[in-house]
């Protein structure tokens, strides 16, 4: 009982405060140094509404954007790599040093590592399992990732990339010339590296594998009767190895018999020149001529690409990057600006993908949905109230909710993402209910014979309680979602916070702004009707005056009135 009495006293106090504010709003007071430069309370409130709306755009850069909010899934995936050409043993030793450093970080439970992947023997995939947050107090996954980057950056000869579902920076350069693509990609990476908050920047062109090219001396080989196929057939089994037979071991298992040079004979490129190849010509004894390979070929150290990647039938190099300490959407937006500023030669182009592309497409779709929602709301209100102007007073509550959405996201440290955008679209159907209650009751009071100010004041007192009750019910209903309770709470929390913030500011501003706009629309409509009525009366008077006649007594053709329109 005491709780209900306390709630009732608070509501009564709200009625008294709102009544005083509304009377001040509708008063004819003027504030200013003179009559010409003075303003009324109505203009003050209109100015507050405009400042609130346009000021919300200044808050947007402070909020930050991203496609999907980061989640603490309790698992992290990484890719480590050593310099190209590193042996499997060297990569394994470096990864073991990294594992020891990661285990010292608080919150890490276990590590699963695979050394040597399909990308090469100098690559390793690492999966880090974190302790269960329900049973252990540990830092967030984002904080642990930052510590992992910090610890492993001290290890020389090891590169790290944290892998997520959607990387904010995925930019491909497409073109015909591989060397030009490499030049452009290096220029782009140098520019992207200056973006604040960018991390794990890497290129799909990870360097070339060290190789030894055999450059055949065609004229010499032809004179000695040695073909290219003969040189290849001699080098392949000795260097790469060639299976020539199988051997049945004592244990009953079959083993492959492979012909290959000993390892000590395959470590120095100059040793390959000592190998002999059989010529098609014979010596003085009629035996096949044996020629050392160095006589017919040169051995040149060079490199070959690890992979040749294409997109839309064109060679491409892709740049990848993550965000650290900054919203991923802001990092992706800065990267997109750099792409637009770069001038590419003819035949080359950019292709932006990843989370930034998805965010751009989602933003365009959300903007279209928002526009359709506003149009449908206006059509429904215009049909219900039988007026094309009164829905404007009601729909002013829509932009007034934007300032609350952005303030709620700013104070809670939440970004503007796909879920908070969905929450803002939901507000389009929620915040108009307060204005509908005020305008509908004001129309009823006017039809009952009350003056404009009396109708608005009565509507404010009668409708304040249901407005407060429905607003509070909506806020407390969204509160569990805003806190992030339950599975997937981190994803849905931005939606709840956006709805709560928008409902609060929209309700507070709507209670004063809507009555002000309602008075302007009412007086404008009254003047329009009066002007229309005067025009109709002048037309009737003009038709009733006597008109001049011509000689035959008929009305003059020049002065004959037009027939009245129906």
């Amino acid at each position: 009982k005491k709780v209900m009495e306390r709630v009732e006293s608070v509501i009564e106090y709200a009625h008294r405060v709102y009544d005083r504010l509304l009377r001040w709003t509708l008063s004819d007071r003027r504030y200013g140094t003179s009559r010409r430069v003075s303003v009324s309370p109505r203009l003050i409130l209109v100015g507050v509404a405009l400042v609130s709306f346009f000021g919300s755009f200044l808050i947007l850069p402070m909020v930050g954007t991203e496609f999907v909010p980061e989640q603490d899934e309790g698992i992290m995936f990484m890719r480590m790599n050593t310099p190209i050409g590193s042996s499997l043993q060297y990569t394994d030793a470096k990864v073991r040093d990294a594992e020891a450093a990661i285990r010292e970080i608080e919150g890490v439970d276990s590590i699963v590592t695979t050394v040597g992947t399909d990308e090469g023997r100098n690559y390793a995939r690492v999966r880090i399992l974190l302790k269960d947050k329900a049973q252990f107090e540990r830092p967030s996954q984002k904080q642990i990732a930052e510590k992992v980057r910090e610890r492993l950056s001290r290890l020389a000869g090891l590169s790290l990339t944290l892998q997520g579902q959607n990387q904010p920076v995925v930019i491909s350069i497409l073109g015909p010339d591989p060397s030009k693509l490499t030049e452009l990609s290096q220029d782009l990476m140098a520019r992207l590296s200056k973006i604040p908050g960018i991390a794990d920047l890497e290129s799909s062109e990870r360097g070339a594998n060290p190789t030894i090219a055999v450059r055949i001396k065609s004229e010499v080989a032809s004179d000695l009767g040695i073909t290219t196929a003969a040189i290849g057939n001699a080098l392949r089994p000795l260097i790469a190895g060639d299976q020539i037979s199988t051997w049945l071991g004592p244990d009953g298992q079959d083993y492959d018999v492979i012909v290959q040079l000993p390892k000590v004979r395959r470590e120095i490129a100059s040793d390959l020149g000592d190998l002999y190849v059989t010529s098609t010509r014979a010596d003085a004894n009629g035996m096949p001529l044996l020629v050392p390979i160095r006589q017919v070929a040169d051995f040149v150290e060079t490199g070959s690409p690890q992979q040749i990647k294409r997109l839309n039938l064109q060679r491409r190099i892709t740049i990848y990057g993550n965000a650290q300490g900054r919203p991923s959407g802001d990092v992706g937006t800065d990267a997109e600006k750099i792409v637009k500023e770069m001038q590419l030669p003819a035949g080359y182009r950019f292709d932006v993908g990843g989370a930034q592309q998805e965010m751009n497409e989602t933003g365009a779709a959300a903007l279209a949905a928002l526009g359709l929602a506003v149009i449908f709301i206006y059509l429904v209100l215009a049909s219900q109230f039988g007026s094309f102007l009164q829905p404007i007073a009601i729909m002013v509550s829509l932009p007034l909710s934007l300032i609350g959405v952005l303030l709620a996201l700013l104070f809670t440290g939440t970004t503007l993402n796909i879920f908070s955008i969905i929450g803002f679209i939901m507000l389009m159907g929620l915040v108009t209910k307060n204005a509908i209650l005020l305008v509908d009751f004001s129309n009823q009071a006017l039809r009952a014979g009350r003056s404009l100010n009396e109708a608005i004041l009565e509507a404010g007192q009668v409708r304040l309680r249901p407005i407060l009750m429905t607003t509070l019910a909506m806020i407390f209903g969204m509160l569990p979602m805003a806190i992030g309770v339950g599975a997937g709470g981190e994803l849905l929390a931005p939606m709840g916070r956006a709805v709560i913030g928008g409902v609060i500011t929209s309700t507070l501003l709507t209670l004063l702004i809507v009555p002000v706009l309602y008075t302007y629309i009412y007086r404008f409509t009254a003047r329009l009707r009066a002007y229309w009525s005067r025009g109709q009366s002048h037309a009737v008077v003009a038709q009733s005056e006597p008109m001049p006649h011509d000689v035959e007594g008929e009305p003059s053709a020049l002065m004959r009135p037009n027939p009245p329109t129906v």
Side-chain angles (χ1 to χ4, degrees), residues 44-333:
I44 293 176
L45 287 175
V46 171
V48 169
L50 292 176
V51 170
S52 300
F53 175 67
F54 290 105
S56 60
F57 293 101
L58 301 178
I59 303 177
L60 184 57
M62 304 168 60
V63 173
T65 59
E66 61 183 347
F67 180 62
V68 177
E70 296 183 9
Q71 301 181 72
D72 193 335
E73 300 176 340
I75 186 171
M76 297 168 53
F77 295 94
M78 296 189 307
R79 183 180 63 205
M80 300 180 185
N81 65 283
T82 53
I84 296 174
S86 301
S87 64
L88 190 63
Q89 292 77 11
Y90 178 82
T91 304
D92 181 65
K94 285 294 182 180
V95 171
R96 289 182 183 275
D97 293 340
E99 290 179 353
I102 294 173
R103 286 193 177 93
E104 297 176 357
I105 299 176
E106 180 185 1
V108 174
D109 186 24
S110 60
I111 304 175
V112 180
T113 305
T114 303
V115 180
T117 67
D118 53 351
E119 296 179 276
R121 57 189 177 186
N122 61 315
Y123 285 87
R125 292 193 182 98
V126 181
R127 182 176 63 179
I128 304 175
L129 300 177
L130 307 181
K131 294 181 179 179
D132 189 0
K133 293 186 66 175
Q135 301 178 4
F136 302 93
E137 292 186 4
R138 62 167 174 83
S140 65
Q141 181 171 329
K142 185 177 181 180
Q143 294 172 334
I144 295 177
E146 293 177 356
K147 292 182 180 179
V148 168
R149 286 193 180 99
E150 180 185 357
R151 296 271 181 104
L152 299 189
S153 63
R154 306 170 188 170
L155 297 178
L158 185 67
S159 301
L160 165 70
T161 301
L162 286 174
Q163 296 178 314
Q165 294 181 350
N166 291 301
Q167 291 183 292
V169 177
V170 179
I171 304 173
S172 299
I173 308 177
L174 287 73
D177 186 7
S179 59
K180 189 64 176 179
L181 285 178
T182 301
E183 178 185 347
L184 293 173
S185 65
Q186 291 175 352
D187 182 21
L188 178 60
M189 288 189 68
R191 297 179 184 228
L192 293 176
S193 62
K194 300 178 182 178
I195 297 177
I198 197 167
D200 304 333
L201 195 63
E202 65 171 348
S203 171
S204 63
E205 187 184 45
R206 302 182 180 94
N209 288 322
T211 58
I212 297 177
V214 181
R215 306 289 174 81
I216 300 175
K217 305 174 185 178
S218 301
E219 295 181 358
V220 176
S222 178
D223 293 341
L224 295 175
I226 297 175
T227 62
T228 303
I231 297 175
N233 292 333
L235 289 175
R236 185 183 66 252
L238 298 178
I239 304 302
D242 195 4
Q243 179 184 351
I244 61 172
S245 179
T246 58
W247 174 67
L248 180 61
D251 55 358
Q253 297 291 330
D254 285 334
Y255 294 91
D256 295 334
V257 177
I258 298 177
V259 175
Q260 189 179 30
L261 281 175
K263 186 175 182 180
V264 294
R265 298 288 303 276
R266 292 183 281 116
E267 294 179 344
I268 303 177
S270 58
D271 292 342
L272 301 179
D274 296 334
L275 299 177
Y276 287 85
V277 61
T278 303
S279 172
T280 57
R281 298 180 181 178
D283 57 11
N285 299 323
M287 301 296 294
L289 183 64
L290 295 178
V291 179
I293 295 181
R294 67 161 52 93
Q295 189 174 346
V296 293
D298 294 326
F299 295 90
V300 181
E301 294 185 2
T302 181
S304 63
Q306 297 184 9
Q307 291 179 334
I308 298 178
K309 297 183 178 181
R310 297 181 181 272
L311 180 64
N312 297 331
L313 303 180
Q314 286 185 294
R315 291 281 293 265
R316 59 98 174 170
I317 296 178
T318 304
I319 310 298
Y320 304 93
N322 291 323
Q324 180 183 7
R326 193 175 176 214
S328 60
D330 294 352
V331 174
T333 301

Side-chain angles (χ1 to χ4, degrees), residues 287-540:
M287 301 296 294
L289 183 64
L290 295 178
V291 179
I293 295 181
R294 67 161 52 93
Q295 189 174 346
V296 293
D298 294 326
F299 295 90
V300 181
E301 294 185 2
T302 181
S304 63
Q306 297 184 9
Q307 291 179 334
I308 298 178
K309 297 183 178 181
R310 297 181 181 272
L311 180 64
N312 297 331
L313 303 180
Q314 286 185 294
R315 291 281 293 265
R316 59 98 174 170
I317 296 178
T318 304
I319 310 298
Y320 304 93
N322 291 323
Q324 180 183 7
R326 193 175 176 214
S328 60
D330 294 352
V331 174
T333 301
D334 290 347
E336 205 170 20
K337 291 179 182 178
I338 291 177
V339 167
K340 293 179 180 179
E341 293 173 356
M342 283 189 63
Q343 299 294 330
L344 295 181
Y348 297 84
R349 65 182 180 88
F350 286 112
D351 184 86
V352 179
Q356 187 64 26
Q357 180 189 20
E358 295 180 355
M359 190 164 58
N360 293 339
E361 295 175 354
T362 303
L367 189 62
L370 185 63
L372 289 175
V374 172
I375 293 174
F376 290 152
I377 290 172
Y378 177 80
L379 294 177
V380 171
L381 293 177
S383 62
Q384 290 296 316
F385 286 94
S387 171
F388 290 105
L389 296 179
Q390 283 190 1
I392 298 177
I394 297 174
M395 295 181 66
V396 74
S397 56
L398 301 181
L400 295 180
S401 62
L402 179 61
I403 181 67
V405 171
L406 296 179
L407 285 176
L409 297 179
L410 179 63
F411 291 151
T412 57
T414 309
T415 59
L416 185 64
N417 50 64
I418 179 62
F419 294 98
S420 52
I421 291 175
I422 292 174
F424 181 66
I425 296 176
M426 289 173 54
L427 283 172
M428 299 299 99
L430 298 176
V431 299
T432 55
K433 53 93 180 175
N434 296 335
I436 291 173
L437 293 175
L438 290 174
V439 172
D440 180 64
F441 193 91
S442 298
N443 289 340
Q444 296 179 21
L446 287 173
R447 287 193 293 266
R450 294 183 179 57
S451 64
L452 178 61
N453 286 2
E454 291 176 350
I456 294 176
L457 290 172
E458 185 177 355
Q461 291 301 308
V462 174
R463 295 304 192 190
L464 181 61
R465 182 183 291 266
I467 288 175
L468 293 178
M469 291 298 100
T470 54
T471 300
L472 290 175
M474 196 178 304
I475 292 174
F476 284 103
M478 284 288 179
L479 197 57
M481 181 186 295
I483 297 175
V485 176
E490 295 177 352
L491 287 176
L492 299 179
M495 185 189 304
R497 294 165 187 170
V499 171
I500 290 177
V503 166
I504 291 176
T505 58
S506 176
T507 300
L508 295 177
L509 294 175
T510 295
L511 290 174
L512 296 177
I513 301 299
V514 169
V516 169
L517 293 181
Y518 184 81
T519 58
Y520 283 126
I521 291 176
Y522 179 83
R523 290 170 181 172
F524 175 77
T525 305
R527 291 174 185 172
L528 192 63
R529 290 175 180 172
Y531 176 79
W532 179 259
S533 299
R534 286 197 300 270
Q536 292 293 328
S537 62
H538 287 315
V540 173

